[in-house]
């Protein structure tokens, strides 16, 4: 099966039983690259403060959900 690439937005959050802190250039949001192949998924790159920064670094692939971000 071919690899499919997705952009994910990751936000900081505080929950009752868990929390996640994100900090990219002072922002509590980051964009990451998720690769799906067969029945598995893996975040392969992270830490982008904007979608434009991510797209500039990953200009050699097509993202399945690009229309959600541009």
């Amino acid at each position: 099966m071919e690899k499919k690439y997705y952009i994910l937005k990751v936000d900081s959050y505080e929950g009752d039983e868990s929390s996640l802190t994100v900090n990219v250039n002072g922002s509590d949001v980051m964009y990451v690259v998720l690769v799906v192949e067969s029945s598995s998924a893996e975040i392969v790159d992270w830490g982008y403060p904007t979608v434009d920064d991510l797209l500039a670094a990953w200009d050699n692939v097509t993202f399945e959900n690009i229309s959600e971000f541009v």
Side-chain angles (χ1 to χ4, degrees):
M1 179 176 196
E2 81 177 74
K3 293 180 181 180
K4 293 187 177 186
Y5 295 84
Y6 295 87
I7 299 170
L8 293 181
K9 179 182 175 187
V10 179
D11 294 295
S12 294
Y13 74 91
E14 293 282 334
D16 291 336
E17 301 290 326
S18 65
S19 65
L20 176 67
T21 302
V22 174
N23 185 342
V24 178
N25 297 336
S27 174
D28 63 351
V29 172
M30 84 165 78
Y31 296 90
V32 304
V33 177
L34 176 78
V35 176
V36 176
E37 186 175 19
S38 190
S39 62
S40 66
E42 179 181 5
I43 294 174
V44 295
D45 199 11
W46 54 87
Y48 294 97
T50 68
V51 172
D52 288 339
D53 291 334
L54 184 148
L55 292 174
W58 285 81
D59 63 350
N60 60 328
V61 302
T62 301
F63 290 95
E64 300 292 320
N65 63 336
I66 189 70
S67 63
E68 296 176 30
F69 294 97
V70 291

